[in-house]
Amino acid sequence: MTAEIMTGTPERRVSRRETVKVITGASVGTVLEWYDFFLYGSLAVFFSAHFFPSGSATAGYLATLATFGVGFVIRPLGAVLFGRFGDKAGRKATFLATIIAMGISTAGIGLLPGFETLGWASTILLIALRLLQGLAMGGEYGGAATYIAEHTEPGRRGYSTSWLQTTATVGFLLSLAVVLACRATIGADDFAAWGWRIPFLSSVLILIISVYIRATLSESPVFTRMKRENRASASPLRDTFADRANVKKMLVVLFGAQAAVAVVWYTCNFYTLYFLTSTLKLPTMLTYGYMGAALLFSLPLYIFFGWLSDRIGRKWIVLAGCALAVATLQPIFQQLTVAVNPRLAEFQRTVKVELVSGACSHALFAAPVSDCDKARDFLTQAGISYSLTPAKSAQAPLDIRIGENRVSGFDRAALQDALDRAGYPRAADPAAVDRPMLFGLLALLMIWGAMAYAPMSAYYVELFPAKVRYTSVSVPYNVGAAYFGGLAPFMSTAFAVQSGNIYNGLWYTIIVGGASVLFGAIFLKESRGNDLSQ
């Protein structure tokens, strides 16, 4: 009986059974997008060794994150190109094309020869594949969100599109599962040498499933009706950007919602993973297990907050999630240190680490690299906060002070010995992890991320007219994802390196998210119940 309940527009009503098919078809492709995102981020440490010249570990990692960001920077162009096509030729054909391009480029990374084989050509090819992925990703999300919403009755749009929002978490979980399976069956050395390629090549399976399902879908009933009534836009780009009211609405969405949602979601999920492994030195396999459990906990939250937005509205759920994250990130991450690595927390509290030098660069990629820069790189990799004090003379040698211990110049062995004598833990002790506190803190981050992200698809789609909806949703979403969210890992790491404080990377999210929430509270309008056929 349920399958016969009808939803959708009066022109072409859609059965619940078909709605499930629509949600599945749109979402599977978006899973591939997020699968790739998390694979690249979680395996970035291997990329820095394979596709960039050897040198500073921090510089290599930051270069990898910058390449990661390149794929996001080009996403707005993909949003414009595929958005125009989606508003003119149809939703279905467009996001079928995006998923094929994305899948091919993702698998291509798994086949790409490394720096030792091709030199800088391997770096250039990696960037080219990231650019192709970015173009495809630019057209993927807006099309999927529009397609689902246009198949759904007004009172269930938040609920239906919230399934699309779970794809980020599903993609994260899938990437964790594949990486864990590979690491469990391949030795650490083999995984670092070639095993990291397997997860990228595995994306071909998701691509085949996605293409098969999407090929069987019907066109959006809203778009079909527009075409029949000759209301479809002949020039979507002109109609999108020449309309001042529409452009103003896009800017409000970008600066009043998407900027905050992007940085908050990436911080609550991706940066947390990096912080646990790289800063707190929790074993990778154990970290993946804890994060996997937290992500499973978050899945029903997206559905709940999407459903709730159908009852009370979208705007304040999105902004409340972002505001709560901004207000609590610093204390949550400080308590994560206490819960995961209490010896490191005690070390940071009781031992002052100070670099006194007259030749310490403030540039991230300084050349030549001074002893001070090498020491900062070492301490950052060790997850240690430090202060930087200028010496009285620019020619004064580096003086590293670790509590009562002092090291002159940069001597890796001497520096590590001084840290050991001061009580620095080289790795977190799994037996000392406060699991209830850890899961409680991760749960808070998952709740904030779900609140911010769950109602977003329905919210954006409902704000824009049908004839330019694909483009109008895609552009602010991808500009925000590129310039605020996609660069968040790089900016957060850079903030931490430059300041010498392991928690200062969070200020990027706090500043961007806080400003965006304030802007959105003033200028954003509620969208619940808007007519999508117009």
Side-chain angles (χ1 to χ4, degrees):
M1 186 67 180
T2 303
E4 302 304 321
I5 299 174
M6 309 303 284
T7 63
T9 66
E11 187 63 28
R12 180 184 180 277
R13 301 177 71 82
V14 182
S15 71
R16 289 282 175 82
R17 182 177 296 163
E18 186 175 352
T19 300
V20 170
K21 183 180 178 181
V22 164
I23 293 172
T24 302
S27 299
V28 169
T30 314
V31 167
L32 178 58
E33 172 187 343
W34 288 108
Y35 176 79
D36 163 66
F37 171 85
F38 289 116
L39 276 186
Y40 193 102
S42 62
L43 299 177
V45 63
F46 302 107
F47 277 53
S48 61
H50 284 278
F51 298 109
F52 296 93
S54 59
S56 166
T58 298
Y61 183 72
L62 286 170
T64 302
L65 291 180
T67 305
F68 179 52
V70 163
F72 279 77
V73 170
I74 201 171
R75 283 177 64 168
L77 178 59
V80 171
L81 293 176
F82 286 109
R84 175 186 179 276
F85 188 58
D87 282 324
K88 191 169 185 178
R91 322 309 197 194
K92 174 188 171 180
T94 305
F95 71 10
L96 189 59
T98 61
I99 196 62
I100 293 174
M102 194 186 313
I104 291 174
S105 56
T106 300
I109 291 177
L111 297 172
L112 186 63
F115 193 88
E116 290 186 358
T117 303
L118 295 181
W120 284 106
S122 69
T123 306
I124 294 172
L125 288 172
L126 176 64
I127 293 172
L129 288 172
R130 285 297 297 161
L131 290 174
L132 179 59
Q133 284 177 328
L135 285 173
M137 289 165 70
E140 171 62 28
Y141 180 85
T146 299
Y147 189 75
I148 292 175
E150 290 182 348
H151 275 85
T152 308
E153 62 186 5
R156 294 175 60 86
R157 285 186 202 133
Y159 169 79
S160 294
T161 57
S162 68
W163 289 95
L164 178 65
Q165 305 306 83
T166 67
T167 58
T169 299
V170 173
F172 198 171
L173 283 168
L174 187 59
S175 69
L176 292 181
V178 172
V179 171
L180 282 173
C182 290
R183 288 194 171 218
T185 55
I186 301 174
D189 292 340
D190 286 339
F191 186 85
W194 56 267
W196 61 269
R197 297 178 180 274
I198 296 176
F200 287 94
L201 296 174
S202 299
S203 66
V204 173
L205 179 60
I206 307 176
L207 172 64
I208 293 172
I209 295 172
S210 301
V211 171
Y212 173 76
I213 295 176
R214 287 189 172 186
T216 64
L217 296 175
S218 60
E219 182 55 86
S220 154
V222 171
F223 185 82
T224 300
R225 182 179 178 181
M226 278 198 309
K227 291 290 286 186
R228 185 169 63 251
E229 296 176 353
N230 293 319
R231 291 191 294 112
S233 174
S235 180
L237 295 184
R238 181 192 62 200
D239 291 342
T240 298
F241 295 104
D243 185 337
R244 289 188 178 182
N246 196 66
V247 171
K248 179 180 177 181
K249 198 179 297 183
M250 290 167 64
L251 291 173
V252 170
V253 167
L254 171 60
F255 293 108
Q258 183 57 31
V261 171
V263 296
V264 164
W265 197 89
Y266 292 152
T267 300
C268 290
N269 291 268
F270 180 75
Y271 188 72
T272 302
L273 178 67
Y274 167 76
F275 187 81
L276 292 174
T277 54
S278 298
T279 303
L280 301 186
K281 306 303 178 185
L282 189 65
T284 300
M285 298 288 280
L286 197 58
T287 300
Y288 282 8
Y290 290 145
M291 283 299 296
L295 291 168
L296 284 173
F297 164 79
S298 74
L299 283 174
L301 295 175
Y302 291 95
I303 308 304
F304 169 74
F305 286 117
W307 169 85
L308 186 62
S309 75
D310 284 329
R311 303 299 183 272
I312 66 174
R314 331 281 190 206
K315 171 181 174 178
W316 291 111
I317 295 178
V318 171
L319 295 183
C322 294
L324 287 167
V326 165
T328 60
L329 282 177
Q330 281 279 352
I332 285 177
F333 275 76
Q334 290 171 17
Q335 288 305 305
L336 276 175
T337 305
V338 175
V340 172
N341 196 337
R343 288 185 59 202
L344 178 62
E346 180 65 14
F347 177 86
Q348 300 278 23
R349 188 181 67 83
T350 59
V351 179
K352 181 180 180 181
V353 179
E354 183 181 16
L355 304 183
V356 181
S357 174
C360 205
S361 171
H362 289 284
L364 289 174
F365 303 103
V369 179
S370 68
D371 279 357
C372 183
D373 295 319
K374 293 176 183 177
R376 292 172 71 188
D377 179 35
F378 181 90
L379 293 171
T380 298
Q381 292 295 312
I384 298 174
S385 295
Y386 58 87
S387 61
L388 183 62
T389 303
K392 293 181 179 180
S393 169
Q395 285 72 42
L398 171 66
D399 182 22
I400 306 174
R401 303 170 183 177
I402 304 170
E404 301 299 322
N405 304 299
R406 301 182 71 162
V407 177
S408 181
F410 178 74
D411 183 324
R412 182 178 295 271
L415 180 53
Q416 184 65 66
D417 180 65
L419 288 171
D420 291 342
R421 284 186 282 113
Y424 167 72
R426 297 195 183 193
D429 180 4
V433 175
D434 186 338
R435 290 175 176 79
M437 180 185 289
L438 171 59
F439 283 122
L441 294 169
L442 291 179
L444 283 177
L445 293 173
M446 296 301 109
I447 292 170
W448 304 159
M451 287 180 68
Y453 199 61
M456 195 178 72
S457 287
Y459 193 20
Y460 293 0
V461 169
E462 290 172 336
L463 287 172
F464 296 101
K467 68 177 184 178
V468 293
R469 182 169 292 137
Y470 201 131
T471 304
S472 299
V473 170
S474 297
V475 169
Y477 171 78
N478 284 285
V479 170
Y483 296 105
F484 294 110
L487 293 177
F490 174 84
M491 294 298 295
S492 296
T493 303
F495 272 41
V497 171
Q498 286 293 85
S499 67
N501 188 304
I502 62 174
Y503 304 111
N504 278 1
L506 297 168
W507 280 106
Y508 174 75
T509 296
I510 293 170
I511 293 169
V512 173
S516 181
V517 166
L518 181 61
F519 187 87
I522 298 171
F523 295 105
L524 277 175
K525 305 295 184 183
E526 182 54 62
S527 69
R528 180 171 61 108
N530 288 357
D531 184 3
L532 292 190
S533 66
Q534 301 303 312

